Amino acid sequence: MYVTLPVKAFESEITYQPNTLNDLANVNSQEMNFEPEESLFFEGDDADYIYEVVEGVVRSSKVLMDGRRQVLNFCYPGEMIGISHDRRYHCDCDAVSRVKVRLYRRNTSHGDVAKDPEFYARLLKNAAAEVNSMQEHFLMLGRKTAMEKLASFLVAVMNRQEHRRGQPIELELPMKRSDIADFLGMTIETVSRNLTKLRKLKVIELPNTHTVRICRAEELRSLAENAD
Amino acid sequence: MYVTLPVKAFESEITYQPNTLNDLANVNSQEMNFEPEESLFFEGDDADYIYEVVEGVVRSSKVLMDGRRQVLNFCYPGEMIGISHDRRYHCDCDAVSRVKVRLYRRNTSHGDVAKDPEFYARLLKNAAAEVNSMQEHFLMLGRKTAMEKLASFLVAVMNRQEHRRGQPIELELPMKRSDIADFLGMTIETVSRNLTKLRKLKVIELPNTHTVRICRAEELRSLAENAD
DNA sequence: CGTCTATTTGAGTTAGCTCAACCGTCGTGG
DNA sequence: CCACGACGGTTGAGCTAACTCAAATAGACG
């Protein structure tokens, strides 16, 4: 029945109850799991599904023929990916960590996503939010220094994740340095050097390579707009 | 009646006929004109209107406190700007040339844009297309050389505009060098130097500062992905 | 414990930046 | 009608932030 894209078998099938707050009415959805580095889809594939991240982190990216890569976004739980205007995906999409996603079928004879106005509204809001966040990312890519980029990235991850006031903030960065570098439009060496610099400035600590403890959040925020 | 945002008076008021192909059903819209460098809206303003460019070119941009600027997009006729997920604009928007725009009110008691499913669908498709084009822009900002950026820009303008096969292609570039520079994330000097370089390579001619004649389109396309 | 991969650090290079001079066009006023 | 100032664009010279290449180190995993 679902022969088109996701080659993996669906792990579960869920039908939402109509009119439940925060849920989508009358939309059939399935869940799927992916291991780190597994691909959800590739650029050029038929965009049969829209994905919602439920657990873990997903990375979308584009590559040039010579291998240069730009990471477009890291998607966290609650975020959607795979919306297309022309029935093709325009980026690659892979799991960074272990990932659970919910799939929404683009077009089916029954339970058609495109005919559900609430889902539509949600998609539009999501797309608008994505445009906004991409605009921030733009300013960063085009006009910020390496240090400002890295600080902005850490601030963005910090803002995305809940934390209790006053506490030193621990960020989990499941992605590799090369992912961060390709997201920020710089090299892994420059990422590494600037992390070290932040550590020496006592703005952060690095208990291990995938954890960043923010010691001076305000200092970091200020570095995100002005590299001194 | 329309006291909120656009301070300028509306030049005309149009009501679309329902069910006309390519038109929007039951949506009141107005048109407005802007002179070059006039602003349509600013970052942080209430996002009361969605704009569709009818004539001319519009520029959206973001600025850092110290004045560094990133141009996000140049909008050509048929494109929409001003969609927001949270009722605020997230970028500045200004006319590059003389511009005619059509305005759609975000929320009104009568003719509410948000309740018109066709308009919704159109907005969503537009937003998805914008995300796609921004993704291309990303790859460019983050990973391309100055020459590749400039060539990509010229190719994008070329693709956007109609032209008859075989003919040498003349592009009108109404924006200033500083706009191009801020769009590509480089300096005006680098833009200028690389235009000169393309001219010396006989890939383009520059009859005047705002016209580019593409002499070797294929060469240009190849430069857009590989600066040699 | 050894192998493999990711990350950090170091040293030298370079693409693109900054600063400065110059040029062309256009509009204004004597 | 011409002089001149303002503005946008081009070109040149030197500088520097980030890159490349290379080597050392640190985790991860069987």
Side-chain angles (χ1 to χ4, degrees):
Chain A
M1 182 175 176
Y2 295 106
V3 290
T4 44
L5 209 216
V7 186
K8 301 185 58 161
F10 292 105
E11 273 100 6
S12 69
E13 174 139 354
I14 301 168
T15 300
Y16 278 90
Q17 300 306 310
N19 304 321
T20 305
L21 201 65
N22 287 328
D23 276 342
L24 302 167
N26 297 318
V27 173
N28 290 317
S29 66
Q30 298 83 28
E31 289 189 349
M32 267 180 96
N33 294 308
F34 292 89
E35 293 298 309
E37 300 304 314
E38 267 194 290
S39 293
L40 281 69
F41 56 78
F42 295 95
E43 181 167 0
D45 284 346
D46 289 324
D48 291 326
Y49 297 91
I50 292 165
Y51 294 75
E52 178 183 0
V53 178
V54 176
E55 282 174 33
V57 178
V58 156
R59 166 200 350 122
S60 64
S61 56
K62 280 179 94 81
V63 289
L64 290 172
M65 283 167 311
D66 62 7
R68 281 176 288 175
R69 184 181 70 149
Q70 177 66 44
V71 170
L72 304 170
N73 199 12
F74 295 110
C75 294
Y76 282 75
E79 297 178 350
M80 317 269 276
I81 189 163
I83 303 168
S84 175
H85 66 300
D86 63 356
R87 310 188 159 211
R88 297 272 165 187
Y89 295 122
H90 290 266
C91 60
D92 299 333
C93 184
D94 318 272
V96 164
S97 56
R98 281 177 157 244
V99 160
K100 185 192 290 289
V101 292
R102 192 171 294 138
L103 284 78
Y104 301 99
R105 201 168 169 72
R106 178 167 54 77
N107 269 314
T108 56
S109 44
H110 65 286
D112 186 347
V113 153
K115 296 208 172 60
D116 183 318
E118 288 204 33
F119 193 71
Y120 236 110
R122 189 175 162 201
L123 281 185
L124 183 59
K125 185 161 181 174
N126 206 283
E130 185 170 353
V131 168
N132 288 159
S133 103
M134 287 176 89
Q135 289 176 347
E136 290 294 333
H137 191 180
F138 259 47
L139 188 58
M140 193 184 74
L141 271 183
R143 287 297 178 215
K144 289 192 179 182
T145 65
M147 177 55 89
E148 288 170 335
K149 286 176 177 180
L150 186 62
S152 302
F153 172 68
L154 293 176
V155 168
V157 175
M158 185 166 69
N159 289 343
R160 230 186 291 222
Q161 123 178 2
E162 302 289 311
H163 57 264
R164 46 255 144 250
R165 281 182 55 83
Q167 303 299 87
I169 302 157
E170 291 226 337
L171 304 184
E172 217 38 51
L173 299 181
M175 66 291 290
K176 295 192 279 194
R177 295 289 187 266
S178 59
D179 293 327
I180 298 174
D182 287 345
F183 182 69
L184 300 178
M186 53 207 236
T187 59
I188 51 175
E189 292 95 331
T190 304
V191 171
S192 185
R193 277 184 240 281
N194 282 282
L195 279 173
T196 305
K197 203 165 163 187
L198 285 175
R199 187 167 51 68
K200 289 187 176 160
L201 287 169
K202 311 254 186 237
V203 173
I204 62 170
E205 285 169 14
L206 297 165
N208 65 66
T209 44
H210 292 285
T211 311
V212 176
R213 188 176 300 130
I214 311 289
C215 305
R216 304 212 239 141
E218 283 321 306
E219 183 74 7
L220 190 67
R221 274 181 222 282
S222 128
L223 285 171
E225 289 245 325
N226 184 353
D228 291 35
Chain B
M1 181 175 178
Y2 295 105
V3 290
T4 46
L5 210 216
V7 186
K8 301 185 60 161
F10 291 106
E11 273 99 7
S12 68
E13 175 141 350
I14 300 169
T15 302
Y16 278 90
Q17 299 306 312
N19 305 321
T20 305
L21 200 66
N22 287 329
D23 276 342
L24 302 166
N26 296 319
V27 172
N28 290 316
S29 67
Q30 299 84 27
E31 289 189 350
M32 265 179 98
N33 294 308
F34 292 89
E35 292 299 308
E37 300 303 313
E38 266 193 291
S39 292
L40 281 70
F41 56 79
F42 294 95
E43 182 168 0
D45 284 348
D46 288 325
D48 291 326
Y49 297 90
I50 292 166
Y51 294 77
E52 177 183 1
V53 179
V54 177
E55 282 175 32
V57 179
V58 156
R59 164 197 355 122
S60 64
S61 56
K62 280 179 92 82
V63 289
L64 291 172
M65 282 166 312
D66 61 8
R68 281 176 287 175
R69 183 180 71 149
Q70 177 66 44
V71 170
L72 304 170
N73 198 11
F74 295 109
C75 293
Y76 282 76
E79 297 177 351
M80 317 270 276
I81 190 163
I83 303 168
S84 175
H85 66 300
D86 63 355
R87 310 189 159 212
R88 296 274 166 187
Y89 295 123
H90 291 265
C91 60
D92 299 334
C93 184
D94 318 273
V96 164
S97 56
R98 280 178 158 243
V99 161
K100 184 192 290 289
V101 292
R102 192 170 295 136
L103 284 79
Y104 300 99
R105 203 168 169 72
R106 178 166 54 77
N107 269 314
T108 57
S109 44
H110 66 287
D112 187 347
V113 154
K115 294 205 176 63
D116 183 317
E118 289 204 34
F119 192 71
Y120 237 113
R122 188 175 165 201
L123 281 185
L124 183 58
K125 184 160 183 176
N126 206 282
E130 184 170 354
V131 168
N132 287 161
S133 103
M134 287 176 90
Q135 289 176 347
E136 289 295 334
H137 192 181
F138 258 46
L139 187 57
M140 192 184 74
L141 271 182
R143 286 296 177 218
K144 289 192 179 182
T145 65
M147 177 54 89
E148 289 170 335
K149 287 176 177 181
L150 186 62
S152 303
F153 172 67
L154 292 176
V155 168
V157 175
M158 187 167 66
N159 289 342
R160 217 163 334 199
Q161 123 178 1
E162 303 289 314
H163 56 265
R164 45 257 143 247
R165 282 183 54 83
Q167 302 301 85
I169 302 156
E170 290 227 338
L171 304 183
E172 216 39 51
L173 299 181
M175 65 292 287
K176 295 191 279 193
R177 296 289 188 266
S178 60
D179 293 327
I180 299 174
D182 287 346
F183 182 69
L184 301 178
M186 51 207 240
T187 60
I188 50 174
E189 292 94 331
T190 304
V191 170
S192 187
R193 278 184 241 281
N194 281 282
L195 279 173
T196 305
K197 204 166 163 187
L198 285 176
R199 187 167 52 68
K200 288 186 178 161
L201 288 169
K202 310 254 186 238
V203 173
I204 63 170
E205 285 171 13
L206 297 164
N208 65 66
T209 43
H210 292 286
T211 310
V212 176
R213 188 176 301 131
I214 312 288
C215 305
R216 303 211 240 140
E218 283 321 305
E219 183 74 7
L220 191 67
R221 274 181 223 282
S222 128
L223 285 170
E225 289 245 325
N226 184 352
D228 291 33

